[in-house]
């Protein structure tokens, strides 16, 4: 993969985002419509970064990107709904996020899935909230993901890992949006339940590792491309969780510190005792992420993804408005070398040239 690949993938991602934006504009509920459109406007760069995994699918790249954009759009939309929720009801958050599990469950396997069949719940995701009429927006996103997976011979091999990663993600989304005074104790208890199976890390680092969709994207892309046996599926999952996913989400929280502080939102990077410790730990996550992907097929691709994460997040306009964050980003970018600088420059240029909203352009 090269910087040229970035320019090749991003227009494809943009076309899919345009389709979902057009559907979001037709959502009958004003509140749901506003949150869907806002998630597409401000978080589109999540799909852009995830779309790079489509390159692993080879000739089936378009299918991979279709899945990635739809799944990431579900994630970003639900995150907005939970962020803006007045009730702080964990049952509501849990029910909304069953959509992410259903999206990973094709019709042909729904009967043996650890979650209820999608058709049983598709119209009920909003059951515990006042605003419910999305005109089928969320169900259509779910159906798009399921459609790609239904044509995947190796689905049964990757399914347990997909659902494991999605379960971590859904748990996190519930726990981080409940009553503020309950969040940290609940997440610390959640971490304690998983601690023995993890390398040494803090509760907030484990939470960050759980908040990424990159492992899911990698598994689907490999299965679409070269195929995926049991050994490769496990290797891909273990390479991405915890280190690549942790690097991804810690960088996301790194650049959002001022925004989250102003909004009173939870930010995992705020729990590091000081800037030096934060940079040291993110550097360690970067090193471990590179070590973890070394034995996968196309390790050079994954190494560039890790370098790209540094460049993509480092190029965000938010960084330039935060002196401490800018200092931390510069130190991390040095770890990524020339490739991170190329991604940094490429993303800054694309934000200036791309249609508004394709990469979260301000």
């Amino acid at each position: 993969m090269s910087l040229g690949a970035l320019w090749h993938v991003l227009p494809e991602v943009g076309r899919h985002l345009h389709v979902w934006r057009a559907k979001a504009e037709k959502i009958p509920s004003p509140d749901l419509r506003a949150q869907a459109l806002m998630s597409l406007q401000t978080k589109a760069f999540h799909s852009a970064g995830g779309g790079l995994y489509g390159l692993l699918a080879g000739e089936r790249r378009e299918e991979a990107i279709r899945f990635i954009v739809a799944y990431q759009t579900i994630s970003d939309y639900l995150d907005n709904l939970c962020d803006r929720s007045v009730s702080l009801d964990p049952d509501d958050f849990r029910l909304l996020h069953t959509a992410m599990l259903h999206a990973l469950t094709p019709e042909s396997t729904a009967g043996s899935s650890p979650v209820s069949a999608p058709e049983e719940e598709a119209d009920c995701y909003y059951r515990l909230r006042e605003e419910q009429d999305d005109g089928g927006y969320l169900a259509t996103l779910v159906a798009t993901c399921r459609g790609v997976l239904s044509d995947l011979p190796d689905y049964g091999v990757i399914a347990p890992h997909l659902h494991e990663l999605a379960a971590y993600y859904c748990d996190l989304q519930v726990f981080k949006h409940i009553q503020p005074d309950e969040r940290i104790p609940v997440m610390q208890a959640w971490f304690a339940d998983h601690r023995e199976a993890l390398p040494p890390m803090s509760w907030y680092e484990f939470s960050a590792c759980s908040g990424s969709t990159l492992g899911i994207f990698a598994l689907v892309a490999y299965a679409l491309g070269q195929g995926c046996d049991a050994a490769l599926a496990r290797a891909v999952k273990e390479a991405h969780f915890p280190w690549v996913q942790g690097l991804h989400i810690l960088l996301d929280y790194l650049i959002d510190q001022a925004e989250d502080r102003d909004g009173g939102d939870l930010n995992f990077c705020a729990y590091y005792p000081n800037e030096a410790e934060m940079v040291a730990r993110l550097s360690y996550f970067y090193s471990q992420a590179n070590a973890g992907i070394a034995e996968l097929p196309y390790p050079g691709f994954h190494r560039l993804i890790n370098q790209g994460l540094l460049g993509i997040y480092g190029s965000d306009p938010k960084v330039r408005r935060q002196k401490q964050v800018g200092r931390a980003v510069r130190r991390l970018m040095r770890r990524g070398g020339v490739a991170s600088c190329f991604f940094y420059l490429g993303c800054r240029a694309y934000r200036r040239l791309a249609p508004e909203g394709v990469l979260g352009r301000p």
Side-chain angles (χ1 to χ4, degrees), residues 24-334:
E25 289 170 348
K26 297 177 182 178
I27 293 175
S29 163
D31 182 60
L32 297 180
R33 181 171 65 249
Q35 296 308 324
L37 289 171
M38 183 176 293
S39 69
L40 288 164
Q41 173 65 29
T42 62
K43 300 179 179 181
F45 73 98
H46 293 165
S47 291
L52 292 175
Y53 278 91
L55 295 170
L56 289 172
E59 294 181 357
R60 301 185 72 179
R61 183 185 67 206
E62 193 280 331
E63 294 172 77
I65 292 175
R66 190 191 328 147
F67 171 88
I68 289 166
V69 173
Y71 198 76
Q72 189 61 50
T73 298
I74 296 172
S75 168
D76 292 336
Y77 171 54
L78 297 184
D79 187 49
N80 266 38
L81 290 183
C82 294
D83 277 343
R84 305 298 183 269
S85 176
V86 175
S87 71
L88 304 182
D89 179 1
D91 292 334
D92 173 39
F93 302 150
R94 181 74 66 185
L95 185 58
L96 283 172
H97 280 86
T98 57
M100 297 195 71
L101 298 171
H102 291 165
L104 300 176
T105 310
E107 290 183 20
S108 60
T109 60
S112 59
S113 170
V115 297
S116 59
E119 55 270 21
E120 296 173 4
E121 294 281 358
D123 296 326
C124 303
Y125 299 130
Y126 304 102
R127 190 171 62 239
L128 299 180
R129 54 179 48 222
E130 183 176 345
E131 296 287 341
Q132 297 187 11
D133 189 1
D134 75 351
Y137 178 70
L138 183 53
T140 303
L141 284 163
V142 169
T144 298
C145 296
R146 296 171 67 209
V148 174
L149 297 181
S150 67
D151 194 28
L152 201 56
D154 295 330
Y155 171 78
V157 175
I158 66 171
H161 304 296
L162 294 178
H163 282 277
E164 177 187 351
L165 294 175
Y168 286 135
Y169 181 90
C170 294
D171 284 345
L172 174 66
Q173 287 298 105
V174 173
F175 299 152
K176 79 172 189 175
H177 287 109
I178 59 176
Q179 294 286 349
D181 60 343
E182 298 176 6
R183 291 170 186 171
I184 294 175
V186 167
M187 281 191 278
Q188 288 174 332
W190 178 47
F191 169 58
D193 289 340
H194 294 281
R195 190 169 192 166
E196 289 187 6
L198 297 167
M201 63 177 60
S202 63
W203 69 266
Y204 48 90
E205 289 173 335
F206 165 67
S207 297
C209 298
S210 301
S212 174
T213 48
L214 295 187
I216 290 172
F217 297 161
L219 284 162
V220 171
Y222 269 117
L224 281 167
Q226 69 176 56
C228 207
D229 61 20
L232 178 57
R234 176 172 292 278
V236 171
K237 192 270 289 189
E238 292 180 349
H240 286 80
F241 182 88
W243 302 115
V244 174
Q245 295 199 169
L247 174 67
H248 172 208
I249 298 304
L250 287 170
L251 287 170
D252 195 32
Y253 278 102
L254 172 66
I255 69 170
D256 280 349
Q257 287 182 87
E259 183 177 285
D260 289 342
R261 190 163 50 246
D262 292 344
D265 296 325
L266 190 71
N267 187 297
F268 296 130
C269 282
Y271 291 94
Y272 286 110
N274 51 60
E275 180 185 343
E277 175 69 11
M278 179 182 69
V279 173
R281 286 299 290 171
L282 265 69
S283 296
Y284 183 70
F285 267 80
Y286 176 73
S287 297
Q288 291 300 106
N290 282 336
I293 55 86
E295 301 303 318
L296 295 181
Y298 317 115
F301 168 88
H302 291 286
R303 193 158 44 248
L304 277 173
I305 287 286
N306 296 339
Q307 293 168 311
L309 286 170
L310 300 180
I312 289 169
Y313 280 97
S315 71
D316 194 284
K318 298 173 189 175
V319 173
R320 297 190 291 279
R321 298 192 288 266
Q322 303 174 77
K323 184 177 180 180
Q324 178 182 348
V325 172
R327 188 166 56 236
V329 163
R330 286 191 293 273
R331 293 173 63 184
L332 291 167
M333 289 276 291
R334 286 196 286 271

